[in-house]
Amino acid sequence: MRALVARGFEDLTAVQTEVASADVARDLLVSAQTGSGKTVAYGLAIGDTLLADAERLERAAEPLALVVAPTRELAMQVERELTWLFEGVGGRIVSCVGGMDPRAERRRLEGGAHIVVGTPGRLRDHIDRRALDLSQLKVVVLDEADEMLDLGFREELEFILEAMPAERRTLLFSATLPDAIVSIARRFQRDAHRIETVSDTRGHADIEHRAIRVMPRQTDAVVVNVLRQQDAAAAIVFCSTREAVRRLHQTLAKRGFSAVLLSGELGQAERNRALEEIREGRARVCVATDVAARGIDLSNVELVIHADLPHDAEVFQHRSGRTGRAGRKGVSVLLAPASRKRKAELLLSDIGANPVWSGPPSAQDIRELDEQRLHEDPAISAPAGEGELEHARALVERMGADAVAVALLRLHRARLPEPEYVQDPGEWAAPRERRAPAVGQGGVAAPFEPREPRRRADFGDSVWFRLAIGRKQNADPKWLLPMLCRRGGVTRNEIGAIRIFDRETKVSIAADAAERFEATALGSEKGDVSITRADGPDASAPAPETRTAERAWSPHPKPEFNKPERVKSGYPKRDRGNVERPNAERPMPERADAAPAFAKHRADRPVHSKPHTAKPWGARPGRAPAGEAAGAPAHGKPFRAKPAHRASGFRPAVKAAKHAAAGSKKK
């Protein structure tokens, strides 16, 4: 009690009062809101068990109490809280967390400890190496037990609980009580007293929930404006992935915010340095993932922004619990695009919050707030000192009152990040109801009445933009149109002609939407299509995507050849047109009658060979034409006589002999 009074405690929270009044011999199953003072609550329970009626603790030896936390940050926070709470009674607290030197932790354990605080993995490692002796343990605390199960520490948790003495006191604290937590409580607790300070129908009383509609690809800009509007002493922005954390942190740093990031890829020293900057006020914004931010205890956090929607209501509750801690007020802002509106409403409903949906704060609203804050700035309203007043009068006499006021206004605006231009998507329309088909007379369905076509925007004064992608990159309006709407924050009716060329594409945007499109879509990120301003395409040139039914003209037409009629034999084709009987056959002409016709056909046949290699009909390379002496050259090539084995049929005999020899070898 002396420690609580010295710390500035006037009243205990609900969970602290319930735990302090519970029986010191019973196990406890406690569910309370995040940030409701659970650490001090089970610190009081541990003190009742360890001290009993004594004024001070005995000399430290084997641990008497063990606190298991899911993350390093939460374990270190618990160590700090228990240190000042047990300092007056001689308590010694030792932490064992991942990322620290295990040899130094082993030396501290050998020196003795009353309370050990650690993460499941590191505690199991010390137990396996016999550096942590749990034989004298009187009480164990499982802090954020639901998060330990979500992170996959169930096996380590069961191993630690089984290594403890059977006669112990088990305190289980969790913001939510899923079935897995209830199962562990039934297995490792005995006649546990249930304490529940979480209401199923009411959200956290100290947190004001707000929901903001955002346009696609404007989330980062809306985060900037929300931070400028709230002007919180410290804020945490939650993202789903490490890449999103890194990208948003770079965006805020470029805008002039003093921001730090927390993700799983940072080492323990870097994480401690980032948290220390937030605590000391050197940084005002922390961009973090869900796992990295679990267990963070920053007393000055006044704002939480959900840049990405949480996966479920439990994660949403843990995120929001980073603010509004220990009776302080906080604000939780949820950003939701139109495509995720239904999920956002379900998340808010699950935690019992009923926020008012609104659009993002505009740049004009933020500038008006800046002027109001300037008038209320303590630097202006506070009384001036004697030296300051003399210097101020000298400045006014030298430069004039107007010049001094303008300089003050410029200095005030220079230290503030510039607000972003954002668009309010407006009220989301309710889903369209399906109408029953109209029925005419006699039960016959009425004729279908087509709807009026949507009117497109007036593109008399349109602005053209160039996309660095064309037909060779498979550019197609089917996916270009939704991409332009998503990146530029425009509707389909505000997009005009789309001209696709070989290596680029030009798009016309309505004049009233061009400024908005240029503010959000220009430039490119990793994997995006680069968009820049451009001049309109040549009106005299034909549209690139124009298609006609006829074949397109080509400068190199495909030649058409007149193939000659092929004759299978040397006889002329029979004319069966004058045959009287169907099966009748005309007698074959004599050879002497057919010879003149065959000679005429051979003379009329076109020659497709080159002029200098043209040969008479029937000539072949390597064979003398008929009527020439054997061995005479044919068309400039020497005549090659047929080998003797080919002429006499010797080759088949040689083949047969080879096959017979091969068969005998196989046998």
Side-chain angles (χ1 to χ4, degrees):
M1 292 302 298
R2 289 193 299 268
L4 293 177
V5 172
R7 194 72 175 182
F9 279 73
E10 297 179 358
D11 297 321
L12 298 180
T13 62
V15 63
Q16 293 169 358
T17 303
E18 293 286 341
V19 171
S21 61
D23 187 1
V24 296
R26 293 187 61 181
D27 295 346
L28 297 180
L29 178 59
V30 183
S31 59
Q33 292 281 5
T34 302
S36 58
K38 296 194 301 294
T39 305
V40 175
Y42 60 71
L44 297 176
I46 292 175
D48 291 339
T49 304
L50 300 187
L51 286 171
D53 296 333
E55 290 290 332
R56 292 182 62 85
L57 293 171
E58 298 179 357
R59 183 179 180 275
E62 286 79 12
L64 302 178
L66 178 67
V67 180
V68 187
T71 61
R72 292 172 285 183
E73 284 75 17
L74 181 57
M76 298 175 69
Q77 169 203 335
V78 172
E79 180 192 11
R80 290 191 298 268
E81 293 291 321
L82 297 182
T83 298
W84 66 260
L85 186 61
F86 284 85
E87 184 179 6
V89 295
R92 189 170 188 270
I93 292 89
V94 174
S95 63
C96 301
V97 298
M100 295 298 183
D101 187 6
R103 295 173 295 183
E105 295 176 350
R106 194 176 298 114
R107 288 193 296 268
R108 288 195 295 269
L109 290 174
E110 292 175 356
H114 295 104
I115 304 174
V116 174
V117 183
T119 53
R122 181 54 62 89
L123 291 176
R124 178 173 182 175
D125 182 63
H126 285 308
I127 294 174
D128 288 337
R129 297 177 182 272
R130 300 176 183 263
L132 180 59
D133 185 7
L134 302 180
S135 59
Q136 304 298 323
L137 205 67
K138 295 182 179 181
V139 58
V140 59
V141 179
L142 305 182
D143 194 4
E144 302 283 2
D146 54 347
E147 181 64 15
M148 283 191 281
L149 296 184
D150 293 341
L151 295 177
F153 291 132
R154 186 186 185 95
E155 182 179 354
E156 289 80 0
L157 199 59
E158 293 178 352
F159 175 84
I160 295 172
L161 293 174
E162 291 174 355
M164 298 178 184
E167 298 297 329
R168 68 175 188 275
R169 189 183 183 194
T170 304
L171 311 179
L172 196 153
F173 285 75
S174 178
T176 58
L177 294 178
D179 295 338
I181 297 296
V182 176
S183 175
I184 289 182
R186 292 174 179 174
R187 180 179 175 184
F188 295 101
Q189 286 186 320
R190 297 173 301 177
D191 190 22
H193 176 58
R194 177 74 176 271
I195 297 176
E196 185 175 3
T197 61
V198 179
S199 176
D200 296 333
T201 59
R202 184 171 173 267
H204 202 301
D206 297 328
I207 300 177
E208 177 188 356
H209 289 274
R210 300 178 185 177
I212 295 180
R213 303 179 298 267
V214 298
M215 292 291 294
R217 301 185 65 86
Q218 287 192 352
T219 302
D220 294 355
V222 174
V223 169
V224 171
N225 285 10
V226 171
L227 291 173
R228 290 280 284 104
Q229 182 190 42
Q230 296 297 322
D231 194 25
I236 299 180
V237 184
F238 285 99
C239 299
S240 299
T241 61
R242 299 178 183 178
E243 181 62 29
V245 167
R246 187 163 44 248
R247 176 181 51 81
L248 183 57
H249 175 261
Q250 293 177 357
T251 301
L252 296 179
K254 291 179 181 178
R255 298 300 190 275
F257 289 91
S258 55
V260 295
L261 63 89
L262 283 180
S263 64
E265 61 187 2
L266 297 182
Q268 187 61 39
E270 295 175 325
R271 297 160 71 95
N272 295 340
R273 190 181 308 113
L275 293 176
E276 197 64 27
E277 290 183 5
I278 292 290
R279 292 191 183 98
E280 295 180 358
R282 297 195 303 269
R284 300 181 63 182
V285 183
C286 176
V287 188
T289 56
D290 298 325
V291 176
R294 178 58 66 95
I296 294 178
D297 183 25
L298 300 174
S299 59
N300 56 344
V301 174
E302 300 176 355
L303 174 65
V304 169
I305 301 177
H306 309 271
D308 296 330
L309 291 184
H311 299 294
D312 50 36
E314 296 179 3
V315 176
F316 187 24
Q317 188 173 0
H318 282 296
R319 282 184 178 185
S320 303
R322 298 306 101 194
T323 185
R325 304 179 69 87
R328 300 181 181 91
K329 299 296 182 180
V331 179
S332 175
V333 180
L334 183 68
L335 308 184
S339 59
R340 310 295 298 278
K341 179 196 174 187
R342 181 56 179 167
K343 182 178 181 180
E345 291 176 343
L346 291 175
L347 290 172
L348 292 167
S349 176
D350 290 342
I351 66 171
N354 296 315
V356 177
W357 287 87
S358 64
S362 62
Q364 183 62 27
D365 297 339
I366 295 173
R367 293 189 179 96
E368 294 177 359
L369 283 174
D370 291 341
E371 295 180 1
Q372 181 180 355
R373 288 167 182 163
L374 177 61
H375 298 159
E376 300 173 356
D377 196 324
I380 296 178
S381 59
E386 184 176 356
E388 294 176 344
L389 189 59
E390 293 179 359
H391 189 56
R393 290 173 179 173
L395 285 176
V396 170
E397 293 177 359
R398 179 181 177 184
M399 304 178 60
D402 294 341
V404 173
V406 170
L408 175 63
L409 185 61
R410 289 175 180 175
L411 291 175
H412 177 72
R413 291 179 177 177
R415 66 181 182 87
L416 298 175
E418 187 67 19
E420 296 288 336
Y421 174 82
V422 294
Q423 182 186 5
D424 184 2
E427 294 292 339
W428 289 318
R432 184 183 302 170
E433 299 180 357
R434 297 180 61 89
R435 296 179 300 174
V439 180
Q441 297 179 357
V444 181
F448 173 75
E449 298 180 359
R451 297 178 179 175
E452 296 182 0
R454 293 182 300 176
R455 296 182 179 180
R456 298 183 63 86
D458 184 13
F459 290 92
D461 297 331
S462 62
V463 180
W464 288 87
F465 294 88
R466 179 186 291 106
L467 281 67
I469 189 172
R471 191 179 296 107
K472 291 189 176 181
Q473 291 80 22
N474 299 325
D476 190 273
K478 293 180 180 179
W479 63 268
L480 285 177
L481 187 59
M483 185 269 291
L484 293 170
C485 295
R486 183 177 64 255
R487 286 191 56 180
V490 296
T491 62
R492 299 169 66 95
N493 291 339
E494 293 173 335
I495 300 177
I498 299 178
R499 300 287 184 89
I500 302 178
F501 300 92
D502 288 341
R503 299 183 181 276
E504 65 177 7
T505 299
K506 292 188 177 182
V507 182
S508 64
I509 306 296
D512 54 353
E515 183 180 356
R516 175 175 10 112
F517 182 85
E518 183 175 1
T520 58
L522 261 60
S524 64
E525 298 179 2
K526 184 178 180 181
D528 289 344
V529 179
S530 177
I531 301 178
T532 56
R533 287 288 294 267
D535 299 330
D538 188 4
S540 60
E545 287 296 326
T546 303
R547 296 289 186 268
T548 59
E550 301 177 358
R551 177 183 295 181
W553 176 85
S554 175
H556 303 288
K558 184 177 180 181
E560 297 182 0
F561 298 98
N562 297 324
K563 297 182 180 180
E565 183 181 359
R566 297 182 63 183
V567 179
K568 296 182 180 180
S569 64
Y571 297 95
K573 191 174 182 180
R574 299 176 182 177
D575 185 9
R576 299 180 181 271
N578 297 328
V579 178
E580 297 178 359
R581 293 179 300 173
N583 298 329
E585 294 184 2
R586 298 180 64 182
M588 292 291 294
E590 297 296 337
R591 182 70 179 177
D593 299 333
F598 179 75
K600 182 178 182 305
H601 168 72
R602 183 177 61 181
D604 296 338
R605 181 169 181 173
V607 179
H608 297 281
S609 303
K610 295 181 181 180
H612 66 280
T613 58
K615 302 182 291 294
W617 180 264
R620 296 181 182 178
R623 181 178 298 180
E628 296 185 6
H635 310 289
K637 294 183 180 180
F639 174 72
R640 184 174 59 185
K642 182 183 295 186
H645 67 274
R646 291 183 61 186
S648 60
F650 177 72
R651 188 175 183 82
V654 174
K655 284 186 176 182
K658 288 183 178 180
H659 286 298
S664 62
K665 288 181 180 181
K666 288 183 180 180
K667 293 181 180 180

